[in-house]
Structures are given as C-alpha cells and as structure tokens.
DNA sequence: ATAATCAGCGCG
DNA sequence: AAAGCGCGCTGATTAT
C-alpha cells in the first residue's frame, strides 16, 4: 500500500529507542468493540471533511451549563474498583527552611553526549504515543486570562513578582483543585478500566490484576490478538499498517481513595477506507466526555494533554474542546508539570524526552518501575506498569506543586497553551502553494547542475559539492587555499567550509578558490530550497492527505499541519517541526547569478498563503521584545528612557555606532543594517566574545572590544543586571522568568571554566528569553479565551507562533478591526511594566508580501 | 548495514 | 583570553 511505502521514507527512530519506547506504551487501550485500524498519526489519518472543524459562531460557549448535566445519560461500567490507595501521610512539610528551594537532587552528571540529538528524534516519534491531559486554571471569566494576569501584575505594581507567591492562588482565584494541592490536601486515586459493553468485574488489588482481568474478560478476535502482540508487545512499529489508537485512558483522581480511570473510545477503525470521524457518533463521545470530565469536583491527571486533545479534534468530535477547556474541567498534565519543574533536563542529557518513562526514571528513580507493577511481559503488564508509573509520578510531582505554588499558575498557562496548540495542529493548517515553488524548482535543478559542472571544471575533478570533506580536499589540498587559524587553533577548525570561511576565501586572490567558494555558497542555499520545501517528507504527507480527502476545494493548495512542541525548549519557548514554520526562509533568493535576463527570484514565504475563502494573513510581531523586557527586568534607567521615548535601539546603533564610528559596512546580502545591529546588541547582552563580535561585524577585535564595553557602560543597569542574574543563579542554582518559571543550571558552579561561563550566559539569556515566552504565551491564552462576538471572529485562526510573533488567518473584511484588537491583546497582557510593549502589525495575501498596518 | 553524530544553515 | 542564547532539518561522516 502506498501509505506504507511512504511511511517507510520517514526517518525511522533509532532502533534502540524503539525498544525503550515500547516499554513506555502509554495509557492507551484499544476498544475491542471496534476494529483495529491504522495509527492516525502516520500521516494517513483522514481528516473528516464532513465534520467541519469550524462551526461558525457557536463553536465554543463557555457560558452554557456544566458539562456534567447529562451525566446520568451515559452509563459508566466500572470493571472493578481496583484501587490504589495512595493516601499520603499528611506531611508536616519537613523543610520549613528554604521551602522555595528544591532539594538539590543528585544529577546523573556524566552527560551522555548522545542523548541530545536522540531526544529530538524521540520527540518526533512520540507524537502518536503519548496521552493527554487537560486543564486546570479557572479562566471562566471571559476576560479570565487577562484578568488573571492583570491582577497579578497590578498587585505588584510593576515590580518583579514577589518571591513568595503563596497567596497567588487565593488572589487570582485559581481553581480549587490547585488550591487543595498547594495546601497539601490528601488525595488518592483509583483506577478503573471502562469500556462500553463491559460489565463490572471483581475488584483488583493493583494495576496488573486489573489489566489482567481486562485481558481475560475481553474476547479478542484473531486479528486483534495478533495486533496486540505485535503492536504493544515485542516488535511494535509505528509504521505497521495494522495499528491505530482508538482509545484514551484518563485517570480520574479524587479524594478519599475514590477515583477512576476511564477508557474512552475516541474513534473506531477505518476499515474499507471509511473515514474515522464518520464512524464516531459525536453524541456518544460527547456523553463520554461529559460524564468523564464534568459534573464533579474531581481532578484529572494525564500525560500529554495536547496529544489527546488533538486526537479528539481530529476524530471529529465538535464539542470536545468545550469540555477540555471548560472552566469546570479539572485536569493536569504530568508531562507539562515535569517540564516546568526542570525544563533543561533534555539538554543536560538527564532524560531523552518528557515521555512518561523517562520522567519517572528521573523523578522517581527506581528505574522507572513501580513496585508490584512491573513484572511480566505482554501488553497488559505494560499497561499495568504504565498506570503504576502515572500513579506514583502524580503523587510525587503534586507534592512539588505544594512546595512551590507558582507552579500551579504556570501549569494553568501551559494547560491552556496545550489546548490551543492541539487546535492549531488539528484545525488551523496553513495553506502552501507547492505548485508555485515547483515551478521555480525546475529552474533550481538546472542551476544546481550547472553549478556542479562548473565547480568540477574549476577543480579539475568531479566531487560532491554537498560534502564538506571532499570540498575541503579540493580547496585546501588540491588548490592550496590557506587553512586559517594557527593561533586560535584550539577551537577553530582550520579546514572549515562554513559560510564565513567561504566568504573569506572568496575574497582572496586565487581565482579558482574564490570561484568554487562562491559556487558552493549559492549551491547550498538553493539546494536547501529543494530539500526543505519541495522534496521534504512533510510535503508528501500533505499531498497524501489532500488526495485522501478528494482534493475538494482549495485548488492546488496544500494544507500544512505542522507540530507544535511545548516541552522541547529549556527557556519556555515553543518549537515547531514537520515542517518547522519558525524557520521558513525569510529573504528572497535570486535564481539568476549567471547573467540570465529575467532576474528570477524566489521567496519561500510567498508560497504560504491565506486560504479559506476571502481571508488574509495578519502578522503581529513584538517590537524589540527582549530589549523591552530587559529594560523592565533590569530597571536600567537609560534603556527605559530610550524605549519610553519611542526609540529604536537597533536603528540607533546601526546609524550612530556601526556606520559612523566603526565603519562597518552593511551586509551585502539580504538583511538590513538594522538586522545587523539587532544581532550585535543581542550578542553583546548575551555574552559574546570580542573575537566573535569582531568577526561578525568585520572589524578588528580591539574595535569590537571597545564596542562591547561602551555599549554596556552606556546602559549601566543592564550591566549590573547581568552580574546580578549570574550571582543569584550561583546562589540558588536556578534562574526565574517574569512569571516565576525556573530553569536549573547546576553547571553555574562548575569548576570547569568553560562549563561555568556557558551556564552564566544561559542564565542571563533564560531570564529574558523566557520572560518573552511568558509574555506571548499569556497573549495566546488570552486570545484563545477571548469572547467572540460575531461569527466572523470565530473564523480567525492562529496559524503560527514565531517566538515573538503571532500569525493569524483572518477574514478579509475584518482585518483592520482584528489588527487593532489583537494588537491590544498582545500589548496588554503584562500591564504596568516599566516600558511600553508595542507590536508591529502587517497583513497580506501571502506570508512573503505582508504590508505594514498602522494601528491607531 | 544500521545507528548515532557532525557540519552547516534556516529562523527568532 | 574570553565559544551570544534558543530551536529543527538535511546530507555526509563516523561509530557500532
Ligand atoms: N539574532 C537574534 C535574533 C533574535 N533574537 C531574539 C531576541 C528578540 O527579541 C527575539 C525576537 O526576534 P525579532 O527578530 O522579532 O527581534 P525584536 O523583536 O527584538 O526586534 P523587532 O522590533 O525587529 O521585532 O528573538 C536573538 O536572541 N538573537
Ligand atoms: Mg520582534
Ligand atoms: Mg519576530
């Protein structure tokens, strides 16, 4: 089958990872009432066309009743009350000293070099495996998010949040569950597998016997058994066309040892090519959600809320979002919580990802196993093990929330973001005009071939232009190019072939070397266009989806459903992949260098367009955002003065210093002098060396040193802020963002200077970059929670977040109005800062042709 | 032969 | 004398 063939093209996860991953099959069970079908996330999942993701004007209504109103309609059939009484001894909180500081946990220090990249792979692949989790903060007020934040900040009058935020929950009316947790209330949960059609069974004493019962009482067809064996047991492969997740498992927590874990059917199999969503009765699903999430004061725990929310939305249940994000829904995500606790674990090599298994291993020790639950093989033992892990992990992590109440606030923000990201992934695709790029592509191919020919001619032998090794042999050995770098040989590769070196070689007298350097530079640029925006796997996936949907509507446009990753950064930013919309080439590339008449050019962003109906793209980008936050956080009077006067630091620097005093020439290629100044400023703030700065600007090291010093002396508050952050980090072991989110940097006290100073730079950067992430996340939450007054407002879609920029797709008629409204939201979420927050707004029919809009 | 890493480069 | 920070993607190279 074609899909299988395609799936095989995807870069598979490392083999060893699959085994590990197998041991971590999350809390999914298949509903045996339904046929098995393929894994929805392998790209072959058919998105329902009949159940439109957008139901104008009435999609969400937080004002209607508690979702639990119809609880009685749907009969829950517990298999057993196999509970695990996790009653925690009400700890007298043994550490009155330094409760704000987490006990330094021995960290597995020998940082395994390998785990870093591997984690990324894992993140790519765990997308279909993790589960879900919902939402905790009470933002029922239409102005909920903004009100929350306003109160928060109003109460502290522009200063940094107080260290003691224990009154946070009371003041901000956070949801009661979190209040309870932070009070250290007893809690426990019980497990119960629930599936339609199953009668009640005998009580079980632990997860394993529960799962066992499930297995023995469940008649499985031959095929099902086979699948179960191959998918959950050994030999699991996400590419196996037999597999499809059809169920989600929720943990329902409650007080006093009464709680349930429910088996929730998401969608049926897709035999005979039937669309998943068509086989789901939304009413059933709705009823399940209602009885599960609503109508009681219990809280719910899960792992990866974003994943489950996305599945629900893709399954075509139009009302699931209301329940997932309903203010009465009490749900928290252990994945997000563990990430909040230590967002840098992945980079330190302590864990490979924030998947359940790794997190358990790290936070609980015990090799990730829970006593009495880990024995045996097979799918049910695995399920039992998983459940035991969730159980133990929740117990442990919630204790941390009790110790550090601001975590509850942060988690509330993140839960809201998770719901929004799920919606973006499932329902807010960006349209891509592949045909347009392909037209250029043919020309690019020709160009690449001619580059190759010419380079081979100059070199006197054929070689692979993509190979840095072969290129180095040609340049440095055959043609005798100088191997720069005897002095600083320590860290510099004398035979480097990166852009800066090739640019340097291109200016030399040797015509052969120069020519090859120029050719390779252009060759690399153009080949990226082909590999990333024409031949890439994500495009094949888009085409398959289009074909499966019968290409109704949309003409030649593809719908790009990328992934929005919430736990893959150490600072609190989001990341994006498949494709990475946060790194789409920005500038126009010229296709003609060889004197052809047309001057053909390509701008990849022109291929990303506003699709649905009469819409336009609307982009809002924070102005000098980290500079502004730095000004606020540092309180530097001079920097605040510049910003309060409406100044543009980058433009100033470009005009006054770089051009006049330093005689820096503006970069020849794309990129303005302002962009150059921007890089310069952030480089200085975040601790660049004079040598690197000089190289970047093309000025002598001494001049760069002078520039650095004079900049920091010009803003003395910034300079002292930098040393204060370092000092504080040394003392506490962590830094905090403006919303109290932490990042631990144990290396700050390393005896190795290299490691120590690296940690110092990260410390400074994390405070500012992380606070900027807090800001835009708060704005995103506020937008997602905003009351929509008209049907048209429901058509506004957030299609991308580019770190300090939000890209919306907006009905053309209301572009101007939305521009104002959205700008107000983005600039208003953090009131009472010491400097104004501004956004630059632009709109257009393609991402590459946005024109600035004036906001009054 | 396959898996993990490196080099290089796109973006903020 | 001092490795700006934060990401993801690709093809080539090295390690197993
Ligand atoms: N070379 C760079 C570019 C950007 N950033 C960070 C800091 C910026 O604040 C943030 C957003 O990037 P922008 O390009 O939007 O830059 P600014 O918001 O600072 O300026 P502008 O007014 O041009 O938007 O990303 C960085 O650290 N290093
Ligand atoms: Mg900006
Ligand atoms: Mg930006």
């Amino acid at each position: 089958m074609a899909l299988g063939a395609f799936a095989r093209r995807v870069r598979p996860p490392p083999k060893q990872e699959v085994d590990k991953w197998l041991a971590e099959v999350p809390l999914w069970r298949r509903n045996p009432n339904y046929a098995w079908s393929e894994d929805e996330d392998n790209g072959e999942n058919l998105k329902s066309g009949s159940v439109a993701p957008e139901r104008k004007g009435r999609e969400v209504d937080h004002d209607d009743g508690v979702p639990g109103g119809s609880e009685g309609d749907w009969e829950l059939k517990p298999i057993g009350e196999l509970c695990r009484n996790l009653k925690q001894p009400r700890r007298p909180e043994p550490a009155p000293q330094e409760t704000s500081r987490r006990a330094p946990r021995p960290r597995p220090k020998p940082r395994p070099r390998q785990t870093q990249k591997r984690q990324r792979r894992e993140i790519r692949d765990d997308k279909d495996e993790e589960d879900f989790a919902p939402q905790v903060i009470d933002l029922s007020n239409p102005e909920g998010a903004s009100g929350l934040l306003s109160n928060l900040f109003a109460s502290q009058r522009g200063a940094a949040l107080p260290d003691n935020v224990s009154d946070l929950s009371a003041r901000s009316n956070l949801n009661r569950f979190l209040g309870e947790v932070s009070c250290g209330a007893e809690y426990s949960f019980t497990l119960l597998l629930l599936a339609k059609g199953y009668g009640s069974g005998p009580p079980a004493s632990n997860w394993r016997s529960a799962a066992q019962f499930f297995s023995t009482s469940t008649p499985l067809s031959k095929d099902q058994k086979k699948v179960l064996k191959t998918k959950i047991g050994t030999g699991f492969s996400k590419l196996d066309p037999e597999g499809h997740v059809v169920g989600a498992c929720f943990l329902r927590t409650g007080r006093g040892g009464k709680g349930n874990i429910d088996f929730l059917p998401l969608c049926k199999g897709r035999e005979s090519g039937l669309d998943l969503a068509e086989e789901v009765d939304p009413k059933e699903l709705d009823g399940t959600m209602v009885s599960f999430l609503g109508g009681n004061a219990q809280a719910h725990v899960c792992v990866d809320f974003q994943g489950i929310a996305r599945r629900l939305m893709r399954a075509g249940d139009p009302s699931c979002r209301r329940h997932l994000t309903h203010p009465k829904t009490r749900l928290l995500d252990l994945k997000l919580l563990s990430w909040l606790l230590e967002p840098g674990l992945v980079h330190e090599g302590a864990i490979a990802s924030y998947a359940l298994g790794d997190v358990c291993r790290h936070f609980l020790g015990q090799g990730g196993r829970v006593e009495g639950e880990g024995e045996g093989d097979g799918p049910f033992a695995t399920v039992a093990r998983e459940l035991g892990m969730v159980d133990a992990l929740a117990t442990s992590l919630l204790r941390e929330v009790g110790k550090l109440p601001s975590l509850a606030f942060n988690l509330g923000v993140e839960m809201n973001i998770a719901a929004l990201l799920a919606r973006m992934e499932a329902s807010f695709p960006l349209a891509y005009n592949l045909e347009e790029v392909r037209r250029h592509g043919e020309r690019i191919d020709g160009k690449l071939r001619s580059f190759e020919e010419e380079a081979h001619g100059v070199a006197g032998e054929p070689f692979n232009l993509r190979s840095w090794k072969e290129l180095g042999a040609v340049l440095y050995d055959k043609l005798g190019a100088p191997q720069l770098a005897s002095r600083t040989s320590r860290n510099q590769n004398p035979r480097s072939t990166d852009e800066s070196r090739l640019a340097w070689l291109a200016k030399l007298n040797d015509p052969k070397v120069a020519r090859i350097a120029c050719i390779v530079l252009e060759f690399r640029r153009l080949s990226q266009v082909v590999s990333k925006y024409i031949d890439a796997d994500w495009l094949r996936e888009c085409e398959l989806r289009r074909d499966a949907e019968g290409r109704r509507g949309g003409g030649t446009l593809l719908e790009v459903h990328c992934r929005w990753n919430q736990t893959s950064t150490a600072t609190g930013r989001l990341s994006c992949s498949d494709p990475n919309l946060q790194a789409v080439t920005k500038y126009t590339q010229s296709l003609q260098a060889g004197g052809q008449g047309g001057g053909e050019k390509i701008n990849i962003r022109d291929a990303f367009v506003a699709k649905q109906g009469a819409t336009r793209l609307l982009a809002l980008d924070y102005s000098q955002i980290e500079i502004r936050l730095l000004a606020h956080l540092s309180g530097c009077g001079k920097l605040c003065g510049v910003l309060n006067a409406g100044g543009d630091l980058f433009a100033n620097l470009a005009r006054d210093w770089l051009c006049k005093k330093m005689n820096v020439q503006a970069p020849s290629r794309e990129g303005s002098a302002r962009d150059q100044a921007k890089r310069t400023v952030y480089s200085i703030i975040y601790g660049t060396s004079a040598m690197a700065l000089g190289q970047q600007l093309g000025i002598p090291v001494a001049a760069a040193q002078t520039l650095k010093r004079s900049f920091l002396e010009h803003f003395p508050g910034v300079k002292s802020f930098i040393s204060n952050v370092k000092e504080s980090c040394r003392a506490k072991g962590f830094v905090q963002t403006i919303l109290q989110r932490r990042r631990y940097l144990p290396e700050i006290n390393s005896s190795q200077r290299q490691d120590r100073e690296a940690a110092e730079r990260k410390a400074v950067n994390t405070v500012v970059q992380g606070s900027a992430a807090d800001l835009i996340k708060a704005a995103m939450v506020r937008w997602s929670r905003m009351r929509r007054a008209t049907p048209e407002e429901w058509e506004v879609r957030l299609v991308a977040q580019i770190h300090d920029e939000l890209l919306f797709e907006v009905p053309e008629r209301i572009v101007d109005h939305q521009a104002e409204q959205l700008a107000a939201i983005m600039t208003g979420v953090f009131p009472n800062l010491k400097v104004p927050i501004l956004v630059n707004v632009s709109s257009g029919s393609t991402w590459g042709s946005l024109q600035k809009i004036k906001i009054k």
Side-chain angles (χ1 to χ4, degrees), chain A residues 621-622 802 804-805:
Chain A
D621 185 305
Y622 282 111
I802 304 108
D804 78 327
E805 171 185 353

Side-chain angles (χ1 to χ4, degrees), chain A residues 573 586 621-629 648 650 674-675 678-683 686 696 765 768-769 772 802-805 838 840:
Chain A
R573 278 185 171 185
K586 185 180 189 181
D621 185 305
Y622 282 111
S623 159
Q624 309 179 76
I625 189 56
E626 288 182 26
I627 297 297
R628 291 180 195 275
L629 285 167
D648 181 336
F650 306 140
R674 185 176 182 277
D675 286 341
K678 188 192 292 184
R679 277 201 310 277
T680 303
V681 169
Y682 287 122
S683 295
Y686 297 133
Q696 182 185 302
N765 176 262
V768 185
Q769 188 186 111
I802 304 108
H803 305 303
D804 78 327
E805 171 185 353
L838 302 177
N840 293 314

Side-chain angles (χ1 to χ4, degrees), chain A residues 473-484:
Chain A
V474 168
L475 287 177
Y476 296 114
D477 295 333
K478 182 152 189 178
L479 299 180
Q483 299 195 14
L484 186 73

Side-chain angles (χ1 to χ4, degrees), chain A residues 284-569:
Chain A
E284 281 184 18
L285 199 50
D286 195 48
T288 310
M289 292 290 290
V290 165
S291 60
F292 177 72
L293 289 176
N296 59 63
Q298 289 177 311
H300 306 82
V301 167
C302 53
V303 182
D304 188 7
F305 175 40
Q306 185 189 349
I308 190 58
R310 180 181 60 235
R311 285 175 176 80
L312 286 168
M313 290 171 191
R314 284 196 172 180
D317 174 21
S319 62
C320 66
R321 198 158 56 81
R322 179 180 45 193
H323 304 300
L324 293 179
T325 61
H326 194 282
K328 300 259 181 184
T329 296
R330 311 215 183 292
L331 192 46
L332 62 85
D333 183 347
L334 297 182
K335 181 182 191 181
L336 291 177
L337 184 50
S338 51
W339 173 75
L340 281 170
L341 282 165
E342 299 215 32
L345 287 181
V346 166
H347 294 291
E348 296 159 13
I351 60 175
S353 81
Y354 286 89
L356 182 57
D358 282 332
V359 168
C360 272
R361 219 162 293 132
H362 183 263
F363 284 93
L364 302 177
Q366 318 165 8
R369 301 250 164 153
V370 174
E371 182 189 352
E373 302 287 2
E375 302 88 5
D377 295 323
F380 299 109
T382 303
V383 170
R385 193 158 49 235
E386 294 293 328
L387 297 178
M389 287 162 70
V390 171
D391 187 335
L393 187 64
T395 307
S396 170
L397 296 190
L398 291 181
R399 206 173 290 150
E400 301 293 334
V401 179
K403 284 191 239 170
L404 186 63
S406 62
L407 277 173
F409 175 80
N410 298 135
L411 183 58
V413 174
E414 298 302 333
M415 294 300 291
N416 280 279
I417 291 292
L420 174 56
L421 295 183
R423 193 159 176 230
M424 290 166 67
E425 290 183 345
S427 311
F428 296 162
L430 187 53
Y432 182 69
N433 190 347
L434 177 58
E435 296 308 315
E436 184 67 24
V437 182
R438 277 224 173 98
R439 268 195 286 283
H440 293 291
E442 295 170 13
R443 203 174 194 89
I444 294 176
D445 281 338
K447 200 85 187 147
L448 289 175
R449 270 193 297 275
S450 74
F451 276 144
E452 255 173 333
E453 278 175 29
E454 186 181 351
H456 295 172
V458 176
E461 60 175 323
F463 67 101
N464 184 352
L465 270 70
R466 293 180 170 86
S467 160
W468 55 268
K469 207 179 176 205
E470 291 182 34
L471 175 61
V474 168
L475 287 177
Y476 296 114
D477 295 333
K478 182 152 189 178
L479 299 180
Q483 299 195 14
L484 186 73
S486 40
R487 281 189 304 117
T488 57
S489 62
R490 201 168 50 85
N491 223 350
Q492 209 164 358
N493 176 8
R495 296 166 63 91
S496 165
T497 67
D498 66 12
E499 182 175 4
S500 65
R501 180 69 60 87
L502 290 184
W504 183 74
L505 291 174
K507 287 181 186 158
L508 261 49
N509 276 335
D510 189 330
K512 285 186 173 181
V513 169
R515 185 62 196 141
I516 289 185
C518 283
I519 289 174
V520 170
L521 282 179
E522 276 200 67
F523 182 90
R524 284 177 178 166
R525 286 224 146 65
L526 291 182
S527 64
Q528 269 200 45
V529 174
V530 177
S531 65
K532 282 185 167 171
Y533 300 104
I534 296 177
D535 289 344
D537 285 338
W538 63 268
L539 275 162
R540 304 292 81 76
E541 195 168 335
C542 289
E543 287 177 326
L544 284 175
R545 192 186 293 108
R546 177 198 59 191
D547 295 342
E549 290 174 4
R551 75 170 70 224
R552 56 176 165 276
T556 62
L557 296 183
L558 296 176
E559 288 187 347
V560 180
H561 291 262
C562 64
R563 301 181 54 205
W564 293 100
N565 312 307
Q566 201 175 356
T567 57
S568 60
T569 69

